[in-house]
Amino acid sequence: MSSVSLPAGNSSTQPSPIQQAAQSILSGATGSTLDVNTLVAALVTGNTAGRASAIARQQQSDNAVLSSLSTVKSALSALKTSLEGLADGSIFSQFAASATGKGIVATTSTGAAAGSYSVYVEQLASANQISSKPFAHDTALGSGTLTIAVGDATMSIDLDAKNNTLTGIAAAINGSAHNPGVTAAVVKGSDGEHLVLTSKQTGAANTVSVSGTNGLDAGLATANFKQVTAAQDAKLTVSGNPVTSASNVVKDALNNVTLALSPAAVGTTQTVAIEADPSAIGKAVQNFANAYNAWVGTHRQLSAFDPATRQAGPLLGDSMLNSAVNGLSRILASGVTVDGKTYSLGQIGLDLKHDGTLDFSASKLQAALASNPASVSSVFNGKNGIGQQLDKVLGEYTLTTVGQMDKRTASINEELKSLTKQQGELATYQQTLTAQYNAQFTALNRLLTTINNSKTYLNALFGGNGAAGTLNKRG
């Protein structure tokens, strides 16, 4: 049986479970029945409480670290994401497009090149619309097959007494799964009802036509429809070169540049300029500064110590966190040499403050972009650019499975599994120990009861403890 150290007694406090158990033994030896349950519980607790407490403390610590690691990884991942476009340089090859007048909205996509172009818009693309001759309301238009075509695409509708009115025809056209790209509507004019068909697509090739088999009203033929709007392509010139487009969104005239045309542009000549997009670069750098400052706030909170409450953050003194902090800070504090000239972040609008955060100056960045845009790009994505250096280091921590964060997390989870197993083993040991002590002290209790009964018998026989004694009376 393991030995248990008893704490010093104190008359002003309640005795501990061990002390109570000891007193129970003493009272049992002097004639009282042992309190076996209290005694056993105290001894089992004395043997296992330390280990149980140690396991619980380690579990609490591991779970706190796990939660903190998740927070750290989230902050580092956000910082890595903020470098997209900066580290690979793609943000510096983005261009913005603008037009000098109204009616042209120019936008760019990846791969656009800088330049200035004269654009004259002669006409817009339009969708063909045709209208039938007038019919009286609910006029039956015969039976047969009606064919609707838009350009080379066609659809056929079988008409009979159930659907051979204008309303029935319009519903059949709009509801057909084989609709070639036309919408139908019934317009009620002063002269009667008209079936109006409109191509869903603009362009000269998307002309709407109608034909029908014998048995259908002759009014359901293209010859009996009047043209409301002609199908036509957009026509424009770009730097003197003629361009036609079936759509008013012109995508092929300039590489990776889209020109959206509206009526205000017709008959006008405008200049479309494709230039580097400093606002996109400024936004990207601002996002990077915000993400870095968020990272600084995160690691400070998790590694702080509050002297007033004497509470320490779960990652105070953590070597992996310190390594990440020092590695990233060192990169930001170092200059970047480009073509023999060294640049610092401060020269492009990012000042590293004493508290470790970044202060971003949009005006300083824009000035650097205006005077030497290549240097700004090189600071981030050159061979030794800050963006590339940061991206590499961040990857070492945040990559799934193989990154340091995931490896550390996996290790702690394994430790938690081991602690859970130890808890189970300790619970089993407690049960075994309880059974063992119960058996031992139940036997001791029986022995003390027997001794007590024997003492009572002897006192009654020989006298003592206030009894005269049976044998003494005989004398």
Side-chain angles (χ1 to χ4, degrees), residues 7 61 83 97 103 105 149 210 226 245 301 307-308 335 364 373-374 391 406 432:
S61 174
L83 288 167
V105 177
V210 184
K226 66 178 181 180
S245 171
Q301 179 183 4
K364 189 179 289 188
D391 189 67
D406 279 9
T432 301

Side-chain angles (χ1 to χ4, degrees), residues 42-324:
L43 290 175
V44 170
T45 299
N47 274 275
T48 61
R51 180 57 184 155
S53 178
I55 292 174
R57 284 196 303 272
Q58 189 60 50
Q59 287 176 320
Q60 183 180 20
S61 174
D62 284 353
N63 282 317
V65 171
L66 274 182
S67 177
S68 299
L69 290 178
S70 176
T71 302
V72 168
K73 184 179 179 181
S74 178
L76 291 176
S77 296
L79 179 57
K80 192 174 189 302
T81 299
S82 75
L83 288 167
E84 293 176 358
L86 292 172
D88 63 11
S90 61
I91 191 69
F92 299 100
S93 61
Q94 287 189 15
F95 291 86
S98 61
T100 54
K102 296 180 179 181
I104 299 178
V105 177
T107 56
T108 62
S109 58
T110 303
S116 181
Y117 308 91
S118 174
V119 177
Y120 170 73
V121 180
E122 178 182 340
Q123 69 179 35
L124 297 182
S126 59
N128 187 207
Q129 186 179 82
I130 59 176
S131 176
S132 74
K133 71 173 189 177
F135 293 91
H137 178 65
D138 283 344
T139 298
L141 301 174
S143 298
T145 301
L146 184 67
T147 299
I148 310 294
V150 178
D152 295 330
T154 63
M155 68 179 291
S156 295
I157 299 172
D158 293 327
L159 299 181
D160 54 29
K162 296 179 180 178
N163 65 348
N164 64 357
T165 63
L166 291 187
T167 301
I169 293 172
I173 292 173
N174 294 332
S176 174
H178 304 289
N179 189 306
V182 62
T183 59
V186 176
V187 176
K188 296 180 180 179
S190 59
D191 57 347
E193 295 184 346
H194 301 260
L195 179 65
V196 177
L197 303 177
T198 307
S199 171
K200 293 181 180 179
Q201 301 294 326
T202 58
N206 297 311
T207 301
V208 180
S209 61
V210 184
S211 62
T213 60
N214 291 334
L216 292 179
D217 191 294
L220 297 178
T222 300
N224 289 309
F225 280 74
K226 66 178 181 180
Q227 181 168 267
V228 179
T229 304
Q232 67 180 28
D233 293 335
K235 292 183 180 180
L236 61 156
T237 59
V238 178
S239 293
N241 300 297
V243 175
T244 60
S245 171
S247 169
N248 289 317
V249 179
V250 184
K251 296 183 178 180
D252 301 325
L254 293 167
N255 287 336
N256 304 303
V257 177
T258 299
L259 303 175
L261 309 179
S262 61
V266 177
T268 67
T269 300
Q270 303 182 33
T271 299
V272 173
I274 315 299
E275 301 172 314
D277 189 0
S279 63
I281 298 172
K283 183 178 179 180
V285 176
Q286 177 70 77
N287 289 341
F288 162 67
N290 292 343
Y292 187 81
N293 291 341
W295 150 247
V296 171
T298 295
H299 76 68
R300 281 185 172 176
Q301 179 183 4
L302 296 175
S303 61
F305 177 77
D306 187 347
T309 61
R310 302 189 63 79
Q311 293 294 314
L315 295 182
L316 176 63
D318 186 87
S319 60
M320 187 177 73
L321 180 64
N322 290 339
S323 177

